[in-house]
Amino acid sequence: MINPLLPLDYLLLLAVPLLLGAGWLSWKGTVECAPRRRVLLLALRIAAMICLLVIALNPGRLRGLADTVEFDWVVLMDRSASMQTADMPGGVTRWEAAVRLLRQWESGTLSRFRTVIHPFSTDLENRLEHAAALTDIIPDGGGTDIIKTGRNLLARYDGRNTGLAGIMLLSDGRQVSAADVIEFAGPARAQAVPVYPVTFGGEVPQADLALRVAPRHFTGFAGQQMRIPATVHNSGMGPVQAELQLRNASGELVASLSFPLDNGQSDTKTFNIPVPDGGYHSYEVTLSSPVAERRLDNNREIIGVSSLTQPIEVLLLEGVPHWESKFLTQLLRRQPHVRVTAINRLRAERFFLVAETADGTRQTGTAFPESDADLARYDVVIFGKGVEFFLDEAAVERLARYLRDRGGVMILARGRPYFDPPADFPLLEPVVWQSVLRDSIRWKPVARLINHPVFAGLSMMSDSFEWEKLPPLTQAYSIERLRPFSEMLIEAEPQAGENVPAVIYRRFGQGLSVAVNSAGFWRWDFIPDEQAPEAAYDRFWLELIQWSITQSGFLPGRQLTMQLTPSESMPGGLVRVALRSRGVAREAALPQLAITDSTGHRREIGVQRMQNADNAWAAVFTAAEPGTYVVTATAADGSDSVTGNLNVRPPPREDDELSANVLFMEMLAQQTGGRIISAADIAELPPESGDSAAFIPDESGTWEPLWDRWWFFILPAALLSAEWILRRREGLL
């Protein structure tokens, strides 16, 4: 054995050039000597160098105590309730098959090894000496936690004189608790303890009706019709008559829907209800059917509705007046919850302004708001054509701050909004424009986004919207590329050529930039409702504007916005709250954050200002019990508040899913250095052959070098002295 003074690879890298250099210098310095004398001098020099190298390698042996450590093979036997599933050959249960297999092993290959048996369900249980003791155990555990069991087993062997050779896991792999496999696999791999799983069971068809409502927070104006989509999935229940009910916080029935649903199908139904008066309102959506279900925790959802009280402030700028912008202006002016200011360019430096409270003209100068405060009054800025007539370099910078810092929304309503782009304005757009298409086009939503929860407020993104009944549109532009962070909602299908993006949005700081790449929408308003989707023109523009505002985060008249991550959690899970404000100064006081649980208990949560952010704060909390939590953030001066809800689902039960989880078992085996073992591989267990004992030197022993002798110190000195004497006789230095 060696114990080198330096790492062995470093030492070898130093030794080779040292030996070569010493030999070369000796040979070079004795060129005047006879050949035999030169070889002798070279041998003396190399021998001395080798003696020094031996000292550096430090050969020796460890003197001290030595123990023979016994190693155990541990068999983990899953006794959770899912092991009662009778899906093994011959109609026996998983538990019976596992016990039978273990008894075969015990009388065969396991007899040569130290074997310990541990039943488990939610945690490690007392050890058993023989498999016969398992006959008195009933597999009725209320859960399966392989990760926790494995970690506790490793901890039990830590520091003991008995080692752990490996683990044989007999289970169906139903890891019920939310835990990452690396929490067990990491320490097991570090301690060289492989896991060899044997999986019992297979696929068990699940009979269940599941309800999903997304999003779970809706916004709208009092009296406005609001769409609440609810999706129901039928898994193994057979044909059923499903019923959805919507109730308010008082338990009163608001609406109900009944519909047939075949086995294996999903269907999305929509509640259309008026938004209640101002404030935050909670609703409960429930699912039921005449057929009894085993799992009921996924048949109920709590949602929240925020009723807006401030109107949407819209600034519409049109540099090239057209029927498109006129129709849009008239539509917005008819809405009771929209306050529109429209500015049309008449000719050079002459603009016509129409507002809710006044109308008139501006004879000279720019028509774009001249300060950040003036622009911040608007929730949405809509551009038609000719933005270059409104925006100079300073105005573009002001618009960028409005989007990035104030959470504003910009909508390009008529495709490419300029003939000659103002400096830096294209950087605010979601696309890079090319030339206009001459063909008419038809719209269709991006397939992967149909019925997506993020776009629940857009009826055009549902699979029931009848696009084929609408007239074609015109004047779409080809698109060179989408800018970073842009997303296409709807694509345009021309008569020839490739599809082009039609509705695109892009997050820009705290705000949103939206482009509508088409024209001719006014035709949609002239089709009778019985021949096309009802009020398609009105629905498209009003829903797009309102959805864009909610996506930017800041609702009309609000100064605070809040985001919960995740919006749905498990008991004990961490929830992050991100708060933002429109342009609050650094010295402003922190907002207040309160959490109210389903029993009405309220608690305050401290918030911290985010680093390098004057108008952003964050907080973290946990919700220990299942239920719906209402999270409310209030500005320090009480001038504004925002509310969201957090749904904490109950932990999964053992019988929620009975199918064996083969993937989990494979991951566990791979990450611990083991492998999957089939029930037929009795002869291969335990997987690693050998004795159950090993010689382990005590770390408290001392190292005894072999070179630590008096004569070994004299040897290199004698070799170098002999070389020096011979060199002097030859007249060399």
Side-chain angles (χ1 to χ4, degrees):
M1 299 175 64
I2 61 173
N3 185 20
L5 302 180
L6 295 174
L8 186 59
D9 49 352
Y10 292 171
L11 188 59
L12 293 177
L13 287 175
L14 291 173
V16 171
L18 181 63
L19 289 174
L20 293 176
W24 182 82
L25 289 174
S26 175
W27 188 258
K28 188 74 173 175
T30 58
V31 66
E32 297 179 359
C33 299
R36 286 190 175 184
R37 183 59 57 90
R38 292 185 71 187
V39 171
L40 177 59
L41 291 172
L42 175 63
L44 290 172
R45 177 76 63 88
I46 295 298
M49 293 297 103
I50 290 175
C51 289
L52 297 177
L53 178 60
V54 169
I55 295 175
L57 288 172
N58 194 19
R61 57 185 175 180
L62 188 66
R63 290 289 187 181
L65 300 176
D67 295 324
T68 299
V69 177
E70 298 288 344
F71 282 88
D72 288 344
W73 279 94
V74 173
V75 179
L76 292 179
M77 285 287 294
D78 184 357
R79 68 161 202 89
S80 61
S82 63
M83 292 293 285
Q84 294 191 56
T85 306
D87 61 347
M88 298 300 293
V92 301
T93 66
R94 299 171 182 177
W95 173 258
E96 291 170 342
V99 171
R100 182 184 304 171
L101 183 62
L102 182 56
R103 298 191 72 168
Q104 288 179 276
W105 289 346
E106 192 176 53
S107 60
T109 55
L110 287 183
S111 60
R112 299 184 289 109
F113 299 91
R114 284 171 51 95
T115 307
V116 178
I117 302 171
H118 277 286
F120 76 95
S121 57
T122 57
D123 201 353
L124 191 67
E125 299 178 2
N126 294 331
R127 62 182 288 172
L128 303 175
E129 298 299 332
H130 302 287
L134 294 170
T135 57
D136 298 328
I137 295 179
I138 300 175
D140 58 358
T144 307
D145 197 336
I146 298 173
I147 304 300
K148 180 180 179 182
T149 298
R151 293 182 62 185
N152 287 342
L153 176 64
L154 295 176
R156 183 169 296 190
Y157 275 84
D158 188 25
R160 294 175 52 179
N161 290 331
T162 303
L164 190 55
I167 300 172
M168 290 174 285
L169 174 62
L170 278 60
S171 172
D172 55 15
R174 290 302 316 154
Q175 173 65 29
V176 174
S177 66
D180 194 336
V181 66
I182 197 64
E183 296 178 23
F184 170 32
R189 186 86 181 218
Q191 299 177 37
V193 179
V195 178
Y196 298 91
V198 183
T199 307
F200 294 86
E203 186 76 18
V204 177
Q206 185 181 22
D208 182 52
L209 283 179
L211 169 67
R212 185 69 174 173
V213 180
R216 287 189 296 276
H217 189 210
F218 299 83
T219 57
F221 293 96
Q224 184 184 42
Q225 286 296 116
M226 179 176 59
R227 302 171 65 255
I228 301 176
T231 302
V232 179
H233 179 70
N234 182 349
S235 177
M237 293 287 290
V240 297
Q241 187 71 20
E243 183 175 5
L244 290 171
Q245 292 187 343
L246 179 68
R247 297 180 181 273
N248 60 22
S250 302
E252 300 173 347
L253 181 64
V254 177
S256 64
L257 298 169
S258 182
F259 55 95
L261 190 63
D262 290 336
N263 187 40
Q265 288 190 341
S266 295
D267 197 0
T268 299
K269 298 297 181 182
T270 302
F271 292 104
N272 288 283
I273 64 170
V275 177
D277 291 336
Y280 179 83
H281 304 269
S282 179
Y283 289 86
E284 178 186 51
V285 182
T286 57
L287 168 66
S288 63
S289 75
V291 182
E293 288 185 79
R294 180 175 59 209
R295 182 179 180 184
L296 298 176
D297 64 292
N298 57 2
N299 288 14
R300 174 179 176 270
E301 292 271 16
I302 301 296
I303 64 172
V305 176
S306 292
S307 180
L308 305 178
T309 56
Q310 298 293 322
I312 299 175
E313 295 283 353
V314 176
L315 174 63
L316 193 154
L317 301 128
E318 179 57 75
V320 184
H322 190 270
W323 282 108
E324 293 284 355
S325 52
K326 184 174 182 179
F327 267 71
L328 182 54
T329 302
Q330 292 176 345
L331 168 65
L332 297 178
R333 192 171 291 122
R334 292 197 303 266
Q335 307 309 310
H337 308 298
V338 177
R339 187 178 298 156
V340 60
T341 298
I343 304 176
N344 292 277
R345 176 179 176 271
L346 302 181
R347 59 178 181 271
E349 297 187 354
R350 184 175 179 85
F351 302 89
F352 186 74
L353 182 147
V354 179
E356 293 291 315
T357 56
D359 60 8
T361 61
R362 289 189 179 183
Q363 302 297 329
T364 60
T366 177
F368 195 73
E370 297 178 351
S371 69
D372 287 353
D374 290 340
L375 185 57
R377 292 195 305 107
Y378 300 100
D379 300 298
V380 183
V381 176
I382 300 177
F383 287 105
K385 295 285 189 181
V387 299
E388 61 267 38
F389 302 127
F390 296 96
L391 303 178
D392 55 17
E393 185 175 350
V396 172
E397 293 178 358
R398 196 177 312 129
L399 182 61
R401 291 193 297 270
Y402 164 78
L403 294 173
R404 181 184 61 243
D405 303 329
R406 303 288 298 185
V409 174
M410 177 181 75
I411 298 179
L412 310 179
R414 296 177 59 193
R416 188 176 69 185
Y418 45 73
F419 302 100
D420 183 19
D424 294 334
F425 181 82
L427 299 178
L428 309 182
E429 299 178 286
V431 299
V432 177
W433 306 99
Q434 289 185 314
S435 59
V436 67
L437 301 177
R438 301 303 177 186
D439 293 343
S440 61
I441 57 171
R442 288 192 176 274
W443 279 12
K444 65 176 183 178
V446 177
R448 63 182 176 82
L449 300 181
I450 295 176
N451 293 328
H452 194 286
V454 172
F455 312 108
L458 300 172
S459 59
M460 62 182 179
M461 297 303 295
S462 68
D463 55 5
S464 60
F465 197 83
E466 299 173 305
W467 288 102
E468 67 280 359
K469 294 184 177 180
L470 291 173
L473 299 173
T474 59
Q475 295 184 6
Y477 287 81
S478 58
I479 303 297
E480 178 182 330
R481 58 183 171 88
L482 300 183
R483 292 192 181 275
F485 310 110
S486 295
E487 180 78 61
M488 176 173 60
L489 293 182
I490 296 175
E491 57 185 347
E493 198 171 27
Q495 295 178 356
E498 297 182 353
N499 293 355
V500 297
V503 179
I504 317 99
Y505 75 96
R506 176 194 183 196
R507 299 195 180 279
F508 191 91
Q510 298 190 72
L512 205 71
S513 173
V514 182
V516 180
N517 182 22
S518 294
F521 294 100
W522 57 271
R523 297 183 181 89
W524 289 7
D525 208 25
F526 285 90
I527 301 179
D529 290 342
E530 63 272 11
Q531 298 180 17
E534 182 180 358
Y537 180 84
D538 296 9
R539 288 166 61 187
F540 168 71
W541 283 112
L542 296 177
E543 288 178 0
L544 180 64
I545 291 172
Q546 190 164 322
W547 175 83
S548 300
I549 292 173
T550 59
Q551 290 304 300
S552 73
F554 292 100
L555 300 179
R558 297 288 178 84
Q559 299 300 312
L560 279 177
T561 182
M562 176 174 63
Q563 182 178 9
L564 300 178
T565 308
S567 61
E568 185 175 86
S569 174
M570 298 295 292
L574 284 178
V575 179
R576 184 177 183 272
V577 184
L579 299 172
R580 290 180 294 143
S581 178
R582 296 188 199 251
V584 173
R586 178 79 183 173
E587 60 272 11
L590 299 178
Q592 300 174 353
L593 187 66
I595 316 294
T596 306
D597 62 23
S598 52
T599 66
H601 177 261
R602 177 185 172 95
R603 59 186 172 116
E604 302 288 335
I605 302 294
V607 300
Q608 297 290 329
R609 193 183 303 274
M610 291 186 184
Q611 189 175 7
N612 301 324
D614 294 345
N615 61 342
W617 305 267
V620 176
F621 71 95
T622 60
E625 300 296 329
T628 301
Y629 294 75
V630 178
V631 184
T632 303
T634 306
D637 58 2
S639 60
D640 193 18
S641 66
V642 61
T643 303
N645 56 11
L646 170 71
N647 186 26
V648 179
R649 293 193 175 275
R653 300 181 308 172
E654 178 69 15
D655 59 352
D656 284 349
E657 173 64 71
L658 296 177
S659 298
N661 193 342
V662 179
L663 179 61
F664 173 84
M665 302 287 262
E666 290 176 346
M667 290 175 56
L668 185 59
Q670 180 183 9
Q671 295 187 26
T672 59
R675 61 185 174 87
I676 291 289
I677 300 295
S678 68
D681 294 335
I682 300 176
E684 298 185 21
L685 291 171
E688 300 293 340
S689 60
D691 297 329
S692 296
F695 177 80
I696 304 296
D698 192 334
E699 294 181 358
S700 63
T702 58
W703 183 258
E704 182 180 290
L706 294 178
W707 54 266
D708 190 12
R709 306 290 187 272
W710 64 269
W711 54 266
F712 199 88
F713 285 99
I714 294 177
L715 180 60
L719 292 171
L720 292 174
S721 297
E723 181 193 11
W724 181 78
I725 292 172
L726 291 175
R727 289 175 65 88
R728 292 299 295 168
R729 286 184 177 180
E730 297 291 333
L732 302 174
L733 294 177

